[in-house]
Each structure stands twice: as C-alpha cells, then as structure tokens.
Amino acid sequence: MSEQNRRTFMKAAALGAVSAVAANLPNEQAAAAENQTAGYASKNFTAKSTFKKKKERSSGMDSNVPFTEIKRPLRILIFGAHPDDGELKAGGAAAKWAKQGHEVMICSVTNGNMGYWKNTGAPLAARRKAEVEKADKMLGATSKVLDIDDSTLMPTHENRLKLIKVIREWKADIVMGHRPCDYQADHRYLGVLMQDTAFMAAVPGVLPEIPAIPNPVYLYLYDYFQRPYPFIPDIAIDIDPVADLKTKAVDVMESQFYEGGCMSNDSVLPKTPEEAKKRHEEIEKILAYRNVRAANFFRDALIKQYGPEKGKKIKNAEFFEICEYGRSLTKEEIDFIFPF
C-alpha cells in the first residue's frame, strides 16, 4: 500500500470509528462526536469570544470561511529549529508571499548558541540572531528567535505553550515547520511540538491570557528522510524568480556557511582576499544547489502542479506536505494560498 493510500485509509478508518461510536450515543453526544472528525475548527466553532475587541481576524469569526474569501494579507508563520532552517527550506516561498503583500514571520525556536565550531554560548547566540534578522529582512519577513538553547529542545508542555504563544500573537493562518522524522534532535522535537500546537491553539482554556485563534493550516517543510515514512510533496512551488534572492539572504549567515557552522575548523577560513572571494563563490553555489536538488528529487510533483512543459523546466523549487492535524484545505484554497 502506498503512503498516500495508507493515509487515506487511516483517515477513512478514523472517520468510520467516530461514526460507529456516535451511532450508539444520544443525539447531542452523537453530534459532538461527529463534529470531532472536522477538528476543533468545525462549523460549530466560532472564535468571537476568544478575540480581544477590534482584533478579530478578518477572515471571519468562523474558521470554515474559505481562504478564497479572505480580503486581507495572509499571515504565515515558518518555524525552524535553528536560525537558518526556516530560511533554507521555505525562504523562497517567504519571499514570494512577501512580494505579494502577505505577512510572513520566520521563527527560530532555538537561539543557535551551539552552532559554531569556534565558540559557543551567548556571544554566538547574539551573532546568529543578528545574522538571521538580516537574512529575513532581505526576504521581506519578520524575524523572531526564541530564548531556548541550541541542542536542548524537548517536547515539553512549557515549550508547547511557547509555540502556541507565538502562533496566537502572530494570528497565524498557516504554520510551517519540520517533520518529526529528521536526523537532528532539535528538528525532530520541533516537529512534535508544532504538531502538538494544532488544535490546542484554538482551545481558549489553554494559555487563556492570549486569545485563542481558529486552528491554522499546518504544513511540513520538505526533507529526504525515508523512515518511518518519506515526505509527501502535496504542494510544489517554483522559486526560480526568487532563487538568487534566497541564496543571497542565506549567504549572509556567515557563521553557518562561509565559516563552516558547528562541525568545521580553521582550515575553512580564507587567508587572503582572493581566497575569501573564492570561498563566497563556492558557498553560494552550494546553497543554490539545495534548491536544484529539491526540484530534481521531487520533479513529479512539479510536473503535477505546473504541467509537463513547465514542470520539467523549473530549476529551483520548494515543497510542503499538509499535516492532517491542522485545518483542511480544498484545491481552490491551495491555489489561492500558493498562487505561484
């Protein structure tokens, strides 16, 4: 059974299970059980009482209002485990959204204070914050770095509330982040934490001092890991028009690329201006190739999205997988959110 078929089967089974339970309940309880299949953002959920006066989301008080009817900029929140992850995986989409007038925040969940071979701690955290703020400004995005030490991120209740706070304060329509399948522990646990904020962001009793919002759309950033299941490219984006901008934005994070990041040494540091120029050129090629590799790896998704003629020609791309824990999307809404 393919992964797509498995997901469809599991979803159908879950819906069937709820219906079976509901069949043996009194009418009021049965209706409540059936509504669970649509998530918290169902037709019976209105957020009117959970928003502060004059701060309502203009998408309507009911999260079932189609995205295609929104008459305001979308609000997108991209979570990355470290200051560079969100930019590397969704910098192109961020730039394209920003160019269209939408509001994008890239939030680094750890401060990156272990991400450099030469030094660590508070000075490095300050340097990486300055680097990522410069990169995000180039992309047209708002930058945020949480005060959680690099390599210590755990899926705790405290950290879940920190993410819910960011989501609510940004009033996010779309939340993006790593999958829980990843080589790096901070990436994995951010994926778990992000999943755990789904539904909970809409519960008024959770973190009641910050008004709840309707359950956002949740998307996973692309990766190449195969276990326990591979990334499924539900959404494919051509980033050719902003590929150079994305590369230049990421390139300003010199501690991570030009100077080698967390697992390097003095040998990578140029000794002359000529060597420095060559090093920058090499790094820009490496960074640019990341987008090319993604486009080639998930080429079928590009062809499905753009058709054979264009899909085969796209050189740089980004991809996203829909997380079923968030608000569901129609094909029309996907096209509206990603008009690229």
Side-chain angles (χ1 to χ4, degrees):
M1 179 183 292
S2 70
E3 178 57 30
Q4 190 65 50
N5 288 339
R6 184 192 69 80
R7 292 203 303 174
T8 302
F9 172 79
M10 293 299 290
K11 185 174 182 180
L15 293 175
V18 172
S19 298
V21 172
N24 295 318
L25 293 174
N27 289 342
E28 184 176 343
Q29 294 178 349
E34 292 287 357
N35 282 336
Q36 290 179 7
T37 63
Y40 194 76
S42 69
K43 65 181 180 181
N44 295 320
F45 171 68
T46 58
K48 185 174 182 179
S49 62
T50 70
F51 286 102
K52 292 180 179 179
K53 194 172 183 181
K54 296 184 179 180
K55 290 189 178 181
E56 295 86 1
R57 289 160 55 127
S58 57
S59 59
M61 304 315 299
D62 190 320
S63 63
N64 272 348
V65 172
F67 274 101
T68 51
E69 295 181 13
I70 293 177
K71 305 301 181 184
R72 58 163 173 83
L74 294 173
R75 300 185 65 82
I76 299 102
L77 175 58
I78 302 167
F79 282 122
H82 309 98
D84 69 2
D85 288 322
E87 292 76 13
L88 284 168
K89 292 299 181 72
K96 296 191 88 169
W97 272 316
K99 285 179 181 294
Q100 293 188 349
H102 299 297
E103 301 291 336
V104 183
M105 173 184 280
I106 305 180
C107 177
S108 304
V109 177
T110 76
N111 58 24
N113 65 353
M114 295 292 290
Y116 188 45
W117 56 271
K118 198 169 186 177
N119 55 57
T120 59
L124 176 59
R127 181 184 182 189
R128 295 195 67 183
K129 186 173 188 292
E131 288 178 340
V132 79
E133 285 175 347
K134 185 177 180 180
D136 293 344
K137 185 176 181 180
M138 291 174 66
L139 294 171
T142 298
S143 187
K144 189 177 186 68
V145 180
L146 301 188
D147 189 22
I148 300 174
D149 286 342
D150 192 346
S151 79
T152 71
L153 187 65
M154 296 293 290
T156 63
H157 182 252
E158 178 185 7
N159 285 336
R160 183 194 308 167
L161 294 181
K162 288 180 180 179
L163 265 64
I164 290 174
K165 181 176 185 291
V166 175
I167 292 167
R168 287 183 178 177
E169 288 181 342
W170 189 245
K171 295 184 175 65
D173 298 300
I174 302 163
V175 176
M176 311 167 76
H178 305 285
R179 292 196 306 152
C181 318
D182 201 288
Y183 77 105
Q184 214 276 350
D186 288 340
H187 293 198
R188 288 198 302 273
Y189 295 139
L190 172 55
V192 173
L193 284 165
M194 186 186 78
Q195 288 181 169
D196 289 350
T197 66
F199 179 85
M200 291 300 179
V203 178
V206 175
L207 206 64
E209 61 269 27
I210 304 175
I213 63 172
N215 199 19
V217 171
Y218 280 74
L219 302 174
Y220 295 121
L221 305 174
Y222 70 91
D223 61 61
Y224 305 104
F225 302 107
Q226 302 297 301
R227 299 289 186 273
Y229 77 91
F231 172 86
I232 298 172
D234 294 317
I235 298 164
I237 297 179
D238 169 16
I239 65 164
D240 280 347
V242 295
D244 288 344
L245 171 61
K246 176 184 175 180
T247 296
K248 292 184 184 303
V250 176
D251 187 47
V252 305
M253 292 184 272
E254 292 192 344
S255 68
Q256 299 308 290
F257 305 105
Y258 179 78
E259 297 178 21
C262 65
M263 298 177 67
S264 192
N265 55 65
D266 279 309
S267 66
V268 306
L269 300 179
K271 306 298 188 296
T272 67
E274 291 75 18
E275 289 181 358
K277 180 181 179 182
K278 183 179 179 181
R279 173 72 176 167
H280 269 298
E281 291 173 350
E282 290 172 348
I283 293 301
E284 286 198 1
K285 287 180 181 179
I286 291 171
L287 293 173
Y289 177 69
R290 286 173 174 260
N291 305 320
V292 175
R293 181 193 180 197
N296 290 334
F297 195 90
F298 299 111
R299 180 65 60 185
D300 289 347
L302 288 170
I303 292 172
K304 180 179 179 181
Q305 177 71 29
Y306 294 96
E309 184 176 355
K310 182 176 180 180
K312 292 178 181 179
K313 294 179 180 178
I314 294 171
K315 296 179 180 179
N316 303 272
E318 292 173 350
F319 302 87
F320 307 100
E321 178 180 344
I322 297 172
C323 171
E324 294 175 317
Y325 304 158
R327 172 177 169 167
S328 61
L329 289 170
T330 65
K331 176 63 167 61
E332 291 73 22
E333 288 178 310
I334 292 174
D335 292 341
F336 178 81
I337 294 171
F338 296 95
F340 312 142

